[in-house]
Amino acid sequence: MRKFLKQLALASSAIMLVSACSTTDEIPVKELQEFNAKIKPDVVWKASVGDGVENYFSHLNPVVVGDYIIAADRVGVVAAYQRSNGKRVWRKELREELNFGTGGWWSQGEPMRIAGGLTAERGVVYLGSENGDVVALDVADGNVKWHSQVGIEILADPAVGSGVVVVKGSSGDVVALNLETGAEQWRYGTESPALTLRGTAAPIIAQGGVFIGTATGKVVVVIAENGQPAWETRLAVPSGSTELQRIVDVDSKPVLFGGVLYNVAYNGSLVAVDVRNGNTIWKREYSSFQNLTLAEGRLFLTDASDTVSALNLDGGIELWSNTDYNGRLLTAPVQFGDYIVVGDSMGYLHFLDILNGRTVGRLDVGEEVYTAPVVEGDTLYLQARDGSLLAVRI
């Protein structure tokens, strides 16, 4: 199906997973159409970050910190590059830095399985792994500041703020670590059904709260200081006769603006919520597991069929939608100047006019674009599945 599923049980659950996937209708892949090109994006430099993420599910993304762009591969390589020219500044092999492979259950060459991150704050970059590692690195030289083992599979970016680093596991557990030492501060559990999408929503920290999307179709808010629940609201209600039809994960990172929280669920709705009390302001029927983007007073989303849409903030009224790329496994949208950019699994970046959604530019990068690009100033940075790191300008 469109996104890998995870199963928490063992043999019997695996049988159900295979059976469920076999009944899923595939979305037809649209061929690229001719368009009126108004811009000509170009790659200005290219570097390589280890082995990339190979064929595994991942949203592992680079992060811009000052003059550096920092990226990682799944195996355990983390490296910093000059934003201006792609020259490598430092490179760390975390398996060596953390003395993995020297004993215990780790074998020689066992990968770190980095999948959560990268996130940066005040000169420190944070990442998480499927093995349950959370690592803080100094941006200046890549040296490990601290390393914690939290015992949960981390697939999404850590959130940093209010003196803590917060990670959410695929099991539904949320763990807060001390920002300076990595010591565990609190742990909060959310429900996780037997069958869910492969992935979790990255939490955000704002106004003293941690905002968390759950696999049961809810957004939950807990107090950042102690992990006590404040309120929750539902974005989707499970329905249908099969477990597959009842999947309602909130895998999109919450967006907070002007006292309103925006988020979307798979097989659910796009919802605007009052952050003071969790009351729904408006709701629109959309299904997505990709992050939302807020730009120019509008919300932009890629839905589960790979339609890209723009909506206003006041009532969620759709302003435009682009269905030219259905079935091409698009990334979440990002704003790049006057354009909305999405990548696809065929190795293309598509540039849409932010006002009307029409395609105005395209770039063939030669490798699957599996995660949303990162924008800083006049440059768009892209990490491809094979570990290529590219800087793109218009």
Side-chain angles (χ1 to χ4, degrees):
M1 52 183 297
R2 299 260 301 110
K3 195 178 183 189
F4 293 109
L5 300 173
K6 70 180 176 69
Q7 203 69 15
L8 301 181
L10 298 176
S12 61
S13 297
I15 294 172
M16 184 177 72
L17 176 61
V18 173
S19 175
C21 288
S22 67
T23 63
T24 304
D25 293 331
E26 294 294 331
I27 299 172
V29 178
K30 282 198 173 180
E31 298 296 326
L32 296 181
Q33 303 298 313
E34 296 292 331
F35 66 97
N36 182 20
K38 295 183 179 180
I39 58 172
K40 188 178 180 180
D42 192 26
V43 176
V44 295
W45 60 254
K46 183 176 181 179
S48 179
V49 186
D51 296 324
V53 298
E54 301 176 341
N55 292 321
Y56 293 93
F57 166 81
S58 182
H59 282 308
L60 181 61
N61 56 272
V63 64
V64 171
V65 189
D67 294 330
Y68 295 168
I69 175 83
I70 302 174
D73 75 354
R74 184 176 186 271
V75 173
V77 172
V78 185
Y81 304 83
Q82 290 283 357
R83 286 176 49 206
S84 58
N85 54 24
K87 182 179 179 180
R88 194 171 72 199
V89 180
W90 53 257
R91 180 183 187 274
K92 295 292 181 178
E93 169 53 79
L94 287 187
R95 291 173 300 179
E96 297 176 2
E97 297 290 320
L98 301 174
N99 295 318
F100 290 157
T102 59
W105 64 272
W106 281 86
S107 60
Q108 189 67 32
E110 182 72 21
M112 280 282 298
R113 299 187 178 92
I114 301 172
L118 305 174
T119 300
E121 184 74 22
R122 297 185 181 181
V124 181
V125 62
Y126 303 88
L127 59 87
S129 81
E130 295 175 25
N131 298 326
D133 302 287
V134 183
V135 184
L137 306 171
D138 192 307
V139 166
D141 52 22
N143 289 337
V144 175
K145 183 179 179 182
W146 53 256
H147 165 234
S148 296
Q149 235 295 335
V150 295
I152 55 175
E153 182 187 47
I154 302 168
L155 301 174
D157 298 356
V160 183
S162 297
V164 291
V165 178
V166 177
V167 292
K168 182 174 183 285
S170 59
S171 62
D173 286 347
V174 181
V175 180
L177 307 173
N178 182 279
L179 189 66
E180 297 299 326
T181 66
E184 184 171 323
Q185 301 290 93
W186 51 261
R187 186 175 291 240
Y188 177 83
T190 66
E191 295 179 75
S192 186
L195 190 64
T196 72
L197 295 178
R198 176 65 173 170
T200 56
I204 64 169
I205 300 174
Q207 301 180 7
V210 182
F211 296 78
I212 307 156
T214 78
T216 55
K218 299 178 182 178
V219 172
V220 176
V221 182
V222 300
I223 299 170
E225 183 180 4
N226 54 27
Q228 294 300 307
W231 56 259
E232 65 179 44
T233 191
R234 180 170 288 282
L235 277 63
V237 178
S239 62
S241 58
T242 69
E243 289 295 324
L244 194 63
Q245 293 170 333
R246 295 174 62 82
I247 294 174
V248 291
D249 294 50
V250 178
D251 276 3
S252 175
K253 184 178 180 179
V255 172
L256 188 62
F257 179 75
V260 180
L261 180 83
Y262 303 92
N263 213 338
V264 64
Y266 184 74
N267 284 337
S269 301
L270 172 64
V271 179
V273 179
D274 189 326
V275 298
R276 297 171 298 179
N277 49 34
N279 292 337
T280 297
I281 300 172
W282 56 256
K283 178 184 293 188
R284 295 288 178 264
E285 295 304 312
Y286 287 92
S287 173
S288 180
F289 47 76
Q290 298 283 12
N291 286 342
L292 304 169
T293 286
L294 193 154
E296 307 297 330
R298 302 178 178 188
L299 277 176
F300 299 88
L301 81 154
T302 301
D303 72 13
S305 63
D306 299 307
T307 295
V308 185
S309 301
L311 303 92
N312 69 18
L313 296 182
D314 292 337
I317 304 303
E318 187 171 281
L319 303 173
W320 57 255
S321 66
N322 184 317
T323 61
D324 292 344
Y325 305 108
N326 289 170
R328 297 183 68 90
L329 304 183
L330 297 183
T331 67
V334 296
Q335 181 190 16
F336 186 36
D338 295 330
Y339 313 102
I340 291 297
V341 182
V342 291
D344 74 20
S345 62
M346 315 295 181
Y348 290 91
L349 288 178
H350 308 285
F351 295 73
L352 313 181
D353 189 308
I354 199 169
L355 295 179
N356 55 36
R358 297 179 187 137
T359 301
V360 293
R362 184 174 292 148
L363 178 66
D364 183 357
V365 298
E367 180 64 26
E368 178 182 352
V369 185
Y370 72 97
T371 193
V374 175
V375 175
E376 187 67 28
D378 66 350
T379 308
L380 179 148
Y381 300 95
L382 167 71
Q383 184 169 346
R385 184 168 288 281
D386 67 349
S388 300
L389 183 66
L390 298 83
V392 175
R393 294 186 188 132
I394 297 174

